Amino acid sequence: MTIAPAPSDTSTSPVVPAPATAEPPVVEAPVEPGDFWVQQPDAAAETGTAVVAPAAEPDTMSESDEEEAPAAADLDPVVVRDAHDFGVYARTGGWAFALKVARSVRPGGQPAEGTARTKISAKAFAELAGCSPERVMRHYRAWDMAADDGLVPQFEVLVPGEDIDLPDADVWLSYYASRNSASSVRGQAISAAAEAEGIRPTKALEVAENPTALRAAILADPGTAEAARGALLDRMKEDPALQTEMARAFARTDDLKKAVASEAKAADRIGYVRQIVENGQIKTPAGQTVAAPPELRAEAERHLSLIDELDDSEEAGEWAGEAYDTVKGLVAKAVEEDPALRVQERRTKFYNSLQKATKVFEELTLDEVMEEEIFEADMLQRLEALQEAIGSCISTLRRASGGA
C-alpha cells in the first residue's frame, strides 16, 4: 500500500505548474530512482493513462550510475515533483486518479461529512479536468466496487485533499472498465455470465473488449485453449448458428475433416460396445438383435472399462478399434455356436440380399435405354447371365422346399 500525492487543489481550479523559480518542496523521504510518475494533467485526464518515462530499475544500475545520481535538493523542484508523482502512479496505477475522483466528486455537490469542504458533481469535475463526465464516472464506479469489497474506504469518509493508503496497481484493472461496454446489451450479457461463473464482470468485459489479446492467449497457452474449447462446446449446445458455422469450418479444412471422421468412427465403435454392456443385447451381422451371452457381455464390459479410464489427453481410437474387433469376433462365434441362431442368421442374410437385388432391378429404366439409344451388346449378355443365375437359384430353392 502506498500514499497518493497531495493534489494541486483540482477540486476548485485546474492544475497550474509551479514556476521554475519556486522554492523546492519539502521531500519527506528520498526519491528512489526508477520509481517515478510523469503526469500530463490534460492528456492524462482525457485518456486515463500516464506518460511513462523509461527508467532503469535500482538493481540494474551500475555502481558508477549510483555514484553520479544527484541529490534531490540539487534538482529543479518541478522535476522532483514530477518524479515523485510518477513513483506514486507506478506503485498504485489508476488508484491515484480514482482517489482524486472519489474524494472530490459527489452527486449534487454535497459537502463531505464532518468538513466544510464541498464536493462537486462528476460533470463539474470533468470540466475542470478537461475530459468527459463518463470517464470520471468510470473511475467513480471502480472505486465504488472496490469499496464494496472492503479494499478502499467508502466515499462518505473521504475528504477532498486528504491522502489515504492505496491498493497495488495490479488490482486496478479488476475494477476499472475502460469503456461503457458494461451498460450495453452485450455488456450486460457478459456481466451476467461472469457473475454466474463466480468472477468479477469487469474481468470478463476487459477480455471481451480485446479479442486480439484473447486470441494470443489461446494460441500460446494450452490451458487457455482448453477453457475456450469448453466454452465453445457449451455455447454450441444452445446456439444452432454457431453449430453450423463450426461444422462448416471443420468440413472445409481437410485435416480437421479427417480428424472428425476418425473420431466419429471411434465413437461409433465405442457406442457398439457400450450398447452390449448397458442393454445386454447384441446385433448380429445380418441385423438381428438377440440377448448377449454372459461371457460376451463380460468381455465387452472389460474393454469398456479400459476405455473409460483413459485420460482426456489420450487417444481412444486404438482402444476403440481393439474393443470393437474383439466383440465382433465374439458375436460371430456366438452365432455359429447356436444352431437355431445360425440358421436364422443365414436366412436373414439371404433375404436381405434378395431384397437389395430386387430393388436394384426394379430401378432399371428400359424406356430410357431404348429412347436414348444407349444399348450395348454386353448389356444383353449380362441380363442373360443374370436370368440363368436366377433360374438356377429358383430350381435349387424348389428342390429344397420339395425335399422339406
Side-chain angles (χ1 to χ4, degrees):
M1 305 288 280
T2 54
I3 305 298
S8 302
D9 197 14
T10 58
S11 61
T12 58
S13 62
V15 177
V16 179
T21 57
E23 292 297 327
V26 177
V27 181
E28 298 180 356
V31 181
E32 295 294 335
D35 202 16
F36 303 141
W37 169 56
V38 181
Q39 177 184 3
Q40 296 180 350
D42 293 339
E46 179 59 29
T47 63
T49 59
V51 179
V52 180
E57 295 295 331
D59 56 356
T60 61
M61 294 179 61
S62 64
E63 294 182 2
S64 59
D65 291 337
E66 293 179 352
E67 293 174 356
E68 294 175 0
D74 298 333
L75 299 175
D76 188 321
V78 177
V79 175
V80 174
R81 183 193 65 190
D82 285 348
H84 179 67
D85 289 347
F86 179 85
V88 172
Y89 185 80
R91 291 186 296 273
T92 64
W95 293 114
F97 291 135
L99 173 62
K100 297 177 185 297
V101 173
R103 69 189 181 187
S104 301
V105 172
R106 189 171 187 180
Q110 302 173 10
E113 295 182 1
T115 178
R117 292 192 174 184
T118 301
K119 297 186 178 183
I120 60 177
S121 66
K123 181 178 180 181
F125 190 91
E127 291 176 354
L128 292 173
C131 69
S132 65
E134 289 77 16
R135 184 177 297 278
V136 173
M137 286 306 300
R138 286 198 289 274
H139 285 75
Y140 187 94
R141 284 191 291 267
W143 188 279
D144 190 25
M145 288 188 293
D148 290 340
D149 289 347
L151 196 63
V152 295
Q154 297 288 342
F155 296 105
E156 291 75 11
V157 300
L158 297 175
V159 177
E162 290 189 3
D163 295 327
I164 64 167
D165 290 341
L166 295 175
D168 294 334
D170 56 0
V171 187
W172 170 246
L173 289 179
S174 298
Y175 293 92
Y176 178 72
S178 59
R179 295 180 178 87
N180 284 328
S181 60
S183 60
S184 65
V185 175
R186 174 174 175 267
Q188 291 174 357
I190 294 173
S191 298
E195 292 176 354
E197 294 290 336
I199 63 173
R200 182 170 292 282
T202 49
K203 291 184 178 180
L205 289 168
E206 182 185 355
V207 172
E209 291 178 2
N210 197 342
T212 303
L214 176 60
R215 171 183 169 83
I218 292 173
L219 291 175
D221 178 43
T224 304
E226 176 61 22
R229 181 194 67 81
L232 280 174
L233 290 177
D234 290 342
R235 181 177 176 83
M236 281 193 291
K237 295 176 182 178
E238 301 177 357
D239 191 340
L242 181 59
Q243 292 178 14
T244 303
E245 288 296 325
M246 293 296 292
R248 185 179 295 118
F250 276 69
R252 291 176 178 177
T253 307
D254 289 340
D255 292 341
L256 294 179
K257 183 166 59 176
K258 293 177 181 178
V260 169
S262 177
E263 288 298 320
K265 182 178 180 180
D268 288 342
R269 290 182 167 185
I270 294 173
Y272 177 81
V273 177
R274 191 180 302 278
Q275 184 268 339
I276 294 175
V277 174
E278 295 179 352
N279 299 334
Q281 294 179 325
I282 59 174
K283 193 171 184 179
T284 67
Q288 297 185 85
T289 300
V290 297
E295 60 276 10
L296 191 156
R297 188 174 182 180
E299 185 66 12
E301 187 172 0
R302 184 182 72 83
H303 280 277
L304 185 62
S305 64
L306 293 175
I307 294 174
D308 289 341
E309 289 175 1
L310 294 176
D311 295 333
D312 292 338
S313 59
E314 294 184 83
E315 294 290 340
E318 183 178 352
W319 293 84
E322 181 181 348
Y324 180 79
D325 292 341
T326 300
V327 173
K328 286 286 287 185
L330 292 175
V331 169
K333 182 180 178 182
V335 170
E336 288 298 320
E337 291 179 350
D338 187 332
L341 182 58
R342 181 175 68 249
V343 171
Q344 181 61 32
E345 180 74 0
R346 293 178 178 176
R347 181 184 295 114
T348 303
K349 185 176 181 181
F350 181 84
Y351 189 74
N352 290 342
S353 299
L354 182 59
Q355 277 188 317
K356 293 178 182 178
T358 303
K359 183 177 181 181
V360 170
F361 189 79
E362 289 175 348
E363 290 177 351
L364 292 177
T365 53
L366 298 179
D367 293 340
E368 293 181 0
V369 174
M370 304 304 295
E371 291 176 0
E372 301 294 337
E373 298 183 355
I374 62 173
F375 172 77
E376 297 288 345
D378 67 329
M379 293 182 181
L380 183 57
Q381 295 174 359
R382 287 175 177 269
L383 285 172
E384 290 174 345
L386 178 60
Q387 182 181 26
E388 184 178 349
I390 293 175
S392 177
C393 181
I394 292 174
S395 298
T396 302
L397 290 177
R398 281 175 175 172
R399 287 196 300 269
S401 61

